[in-house]
Amino acid sequence: MAEFKSGFVAILGRTNVGKSTLLNLLVGEKVAATANKVQTTRTAIRGIVSRENSQIIFIDTPGIHKPKTKLNETMIETSFGVISEIDIILFVIDATSDEIGKGDRKILEKIKESNKKTILIINKIDLVKKEKLLHLIELYQKEYKFEAVIPISSIKAKYRDIILDEIEKNLKPGPAYYSKEEFTDQTMRQLAEETIREKALKFLQDEVPHGIYVEVEKMKFKKTQKGEDIYDIEAIIYCLRESHKGIIIGKNGSMLKRIGQAARIDMENNFGVKVNLKTWVKVKEDWQDDTAIVKKFKLQ
Ligand SMILES: Nc1nc2c(ncn2[C@@H]2O[C@H](COP(=O)(O)OP(=O)(O)OP(=O)(O)O)[C@@H](O)[C@H]2O)c(=O)[nH]1
Ligand SMILES: [Mg+2]
């Protein structure tokens, strides 16, 4: 029998390139929030893939961007801080780029510094022509000796095994760190908070969703009158200003209802149990520069 292999793999890249979408594809479960907005992921999130002869622990990271708040700075520290702890880097870039931009350049420099085994993932190839792709591959191959360059689309399932096989090839012998059934290090509470935030990101515009953080106050199982299990979840959506609060609640509470409903449906699918979700909106000005709150997003 082949020797069992295992290892830690960081998913690094600029914001919005599709890292969390890729993590969810690889794990085969909804582990991380994804949105067509920048700075969706705020901290390192683990996703675990157990295969017949290997176990791969992925660490999704906040996308690299220009920091404006303490939260932003902490997010970037987290992303680069992960590098020292891992065996392999998946460097995700956007296929629609024409050149190596500032953010990608910064990541490349960190990769070079670390000298770690790196697989270049060119994501969103569904959006570009082949010729453009070849140009991008050429540009990057001049910069680093990547173990492999894999053009993919994270929204298509067929790329999953190609990436996992390539990673497995590069792993060293090692034990299974997690039991086979585990697919994330996040608690139900964290998954619930991320699901609600994801829906807020999806439905809200401009700067409002970026100023949000969600805290679950209560999570409790109870029985319905019919004897069915139901999860009672109460959460607070914090935002930066009174005006944002109005937008999040919406006319007659319509926006909050929309966010809550979408979050509930997702949670019911992911948790496999009925959910009764109650949400409130509160203002907490400048929390993004509040050290005590931002600590929550620090690399543990
Ligand atoms: N067309 C296309 N869209 C994609 C693909 N992969 C991801 N997306 C979309 O790109 C957007 C950003 O995806 P995320 O996975 O949240 O990106 P991220 O890199 O994790 O972003 P941050 O957490 O902000 O760093 C979402 O709207 C995804 O649906 C792809 O292969 N093709
Ligand atoms: Mg993300």
Side-chain angles (χ1 to χ4, degrees):
M1 213 176 85
E3 196 168 6
F4 198 85
K5 292 166 146 193
S6 65
F8 293 79
V9 177
I11 307 178
L12 280 181
R14 272 188 302 115
T15 184
N16 212 35
V17 295
K19 298 178 295 302
S20 300
T21 310
L22 175 62
L23 176 75
N24 292 339
L25 170 77
L26 294 170
V27 173
E29 298 274 353
K30 183 73 186 276
V31 181
T34 66
N36 195 14
K37 301 254 167 44
V38 296
Q39 296 162 36
T40 300
T41 306
R42 285 181 174 160
T43 191
I45 290 174
R46 286 185 183 192
I48 302 140
V49 175
S50 291
R51 308 182 96 197
E52 202 182 329
N53 292 313
S54 67
Q55 184 172 77
I56 309 166
I57 299 113
F58 290 99
I59 304 161
D60 185 20
T61 63
I64 302 307
H65 59 278
K66 216 170 154 187
K68 290 195 187 112
T69 60
K70 209 170 258 168
L71 172 66
N72 293 155
E73 283 167 21
T74 304
M75 283 158 63
I76 292 169
E77 271 168 31
T78 295
S79 300
F80 288 139
V82 161
I83 296 180
S84 63
E85 303 177 0
I86 50 90
D87 305 296
I88 298 170
I89 296 170
L90 290 190
F91 177 21
V92 185
I93 62 167
D94 189 323
T96 61
S97 330
D98 297 311
E99 50 179 43
I100 306 176
K102 262 192 193 161
D104 285 321
R105 172 67 59 196
K106 198 165 157 189
I107 301 163
L108 255 178
E109 294 311 317
K110 293 281 181 186
I111 292 172
K112 286 179 187 173
E113 238 172 69
S114 75
N115 204 25
K116 297 247 171 165
K117 280 189 174 187
T118 303
I119 297 168
L120 182 70
I121 303 283
I122 308 180
N123 191 33
K124 307 195 185 183
I125 56 166
D126 50 300
L127 301 177
V128 295
K129 292 224 168 71
K130 211 171 171 184
E131 303 84 70
K132 198 164 170 180
L133 210 58
L134 295 176
H135 170 68
L136 206 58
I137 293 173
E138 210 176 294
L139 273 181
Y140 274 88
Q141 274 181 332
K142 278 187 204 146
E143 296 285 338
Y144 196 71
K145 208 175 159 310
F146 296 105
E147 304 306 318
V149 176
I150 314 179
I152 66 153
S153 180
S154 290
I155 51 178
K156 303 215 172 111
K158 65 176 178 184
Y159 294 102
R160 181 174 184 264
D161 285 333
I162 300 173
I163 301 172
L164 292 179
D165 289 346
E166 184 59 41
I167 294 171
E168 197 174 273
K169 230 168 63 188
N170 285 288
L171 286 179
K172 293 199 177 114
Y177 294 95
Y178 290 88
S179 69
K180 263 196 165 160
E181 309 74 51
E182 282 179 274
F183 60 85
T184 184
D185 66 332
Q186 292 188 96
T187 59
M188 296 277 267
R189 181 177 290 263
Q190 286 167 318
L191 288 169
E193 289 173 350
E194 282 294 271
T195 306
I196 298 165
R197 200 169 60 84
E198 180 185 81
K199 301 312 166 197
L201 275 164
K202 186 171 171 188
F203 298 132
L204 296 164
Q205 305 297 323
D206 304 324
E207 83 276 30
V208 180
H210 297 297
I212 280 176
Y213 85 95
V214 178
E215 228 166 56
V216 165
E217 296 260 291
K218 188 181 133 189
M219 266 182 117
K220 221 170 153 188
F221 268 117
K222 72 171 189 205
K223 292 260 184 227
T224 61
Q225 282 176 339
K226 283 190 208 153
E228 259 181 326
D229 275 332
I230 190 160
Y231 225 161
D232 251 341
I233 303 177
E234 292 180 11
I236 299 178
I237 301 176
Y238 288 98
C239 63
L240 293 171
R241 342 218 164 286
E242 216 40 66
S243 62
H244 290 186
K245 182 174 165 179
I247 294 168
I248 297 165
I249 293 173
K251 206 170 171 200
N252 298 324
S254 56
M255 180 52 92
L256 190 58
K257 199 167 164 192
R258 196 169 167 210
I259 294 169
Q261 256 171 7
R264 178 182 56 77
I265 292 167
D266 255 32
M267 282 191 257
E268 286 182 342
N269 286 334
N270 293 339
F271 299 166
V273 61
K274 273 208 163 4
V275 169
N276 175 32
L277 175 66
K278 288 205 186 90
T279 48
W280 287 268
V281 184
K282 287 188 184 169
V283 178
K284 198 175 260 180
E285 280 176 25
D286 300 327
W287 69 265
Q288 294 174 322
D289 281 310
D290 183 322
T291 316
I293 299 175
V294 167
K295 215 166 80 184
K296 202 169 124 159
F297 304 98
K298 274 211 160 107
L299 196 56
Q300 299 295 317

